């Protein structure tokens, strides 16, 4: 199973994900469906300071394998507010996210949307992946 997207990183036109996206969108495989652009990056900590956002209760992160980098840019918020965090499960960054958040006393739960339950997790496992995507709930509270 291939779960990585090509949205924020280099485009791999040979990936199953890319080919599936072409098929779902009804596009021809030989046309260019993307363009490279320079984008301004901003840490969530900085953004909240600039916008005078004083507290974050819930943070949802789905950045196609870059969840860890978002968390790194949210250190002040995580340290101050201990928000509940819902983030995408993928091979690239899941274990890094868990190891990062453990230092803030977070607990981790696989959000099993099919069986409508939470399952405690502590590392990446292939059985957590779903074709439609899957998420982890990180919280300082026990569920």
């Amino acid at each position: 199973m291939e779960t990585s997207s090509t949205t924020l990183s280099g485009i791999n036109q040979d990936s199953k994900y890319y080919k599936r996206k072409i098929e779902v969108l009804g596009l021809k495989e030989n046309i260019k469906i993307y363009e490279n652009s320079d984008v301004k990056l901003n840490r969530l900590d900085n953004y909240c300071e600039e916008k005078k956002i004083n507290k974050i209760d819930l943070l949802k992160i789905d950045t196609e394998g870059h969840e860890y980098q978002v968390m790194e840019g949210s250190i002040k918020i995580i340290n101050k507010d201990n928000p509940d965090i819902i983030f995408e499960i993928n091979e690239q960054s899941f274990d890094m996210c868990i190891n990062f958040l453990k230092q803030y006393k977070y607990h981790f739960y696989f959000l099993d949307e099919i069986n409508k339950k939470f399952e405690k997790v502590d590392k990446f496992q292939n059985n957590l992946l779903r074709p439609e995507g899957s998420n982890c709930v990180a919280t300082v509270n026990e569920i």
Side-chain angles (χ1 to χ4, degrees):
M1 174 180 283
E2 183 175 350
T3 61
S4 65
S5 172
T6 53
T7 306
L8 296 176
S9 295
I11 304 295
N12 179 359
Q13 293 181 354
D14 295 323
S15 74
K16 291 177 192 172
Y17 180 87
Y18 181 85
K19 290 178 180 184
R20 192 170 50 248
K21 201 173 245 189
I22 293 290
E23 182 180 329
V24 168
L25 294 174
L27 301 172
K28 291 186 172 36
E29 204 167 324
N30 59 353
I31 67 166
K32 187 174 178 180
I33 64 166
Y34 64 90
E35 65 180 61
N36 293 329
S37 299
D38 291 330
V39 295
K40 179 184 175 199
L41 299 178
N42 193 2
R43 293 175 167 269
L44 189 57
D45 285 337
N46 294 342
Y47 179 84
C48 288
E49 283 180 26
E50 292 165 7
K51 301 296 181 183
K52 298 187 183 348
I53 298 170
N54 297 319
K55 182 163 175 42
I56 301 288
D57 294 312
L58 175 67
L59 184 57
K60 170 66 167 104
I61 308 170
D62 184 349
T63 52
E64 310 302 338
H66 298 274
E67 289 74 15
Y68 176 72
Q69 289 84 353
V70 172
M71 289 180 193
E72 281 188 313
S74 308
I75 291 173
K76 290 178 189 175
I77 291 166
I78 292 169
N79 193 38
K80 179 176 75 74
D81 299 335
N82 292 112
D84 292 334
I85 302 171
I86 301 171
F87 62 99
E88 184 182 31
I89 296 174
N90 58 64
E91 303 97 322
Q92 293 92 339
S93 64
F94 188 67
D95 287 339
M96 289 188 302
C97 292
I98 284 182
N99 291 332
F100 176 77
L101 291 173
K102 278 181 181 176
Q103 65 187 319
Y104 298 99
K105 310 293 186 224
Y106 274 81
H107 306 277
F108 308 95
Y109 301 90
F110 166 58
L111 179 55
D112 186 346
E113 296 179 46
I114 295 169
N115 298 307
K116 300 187 184 334
K117 66 178 185 176
F118 292 104
E119 179 183 323
K120 194 159 188 148
V121 294
D122 62 357
K123 65 180 178 180
F124 176 79
Q125 300 167 20
N126 280 324
N127 67 321
L128 301 175
L129 298 175
R130 302 288 189 268
E132 68 281 359
S134 52
N135 291 292
C136 178
V137 176
T139 179
V140 294
N141 303 304
E142 292 273 350
I143 294 180

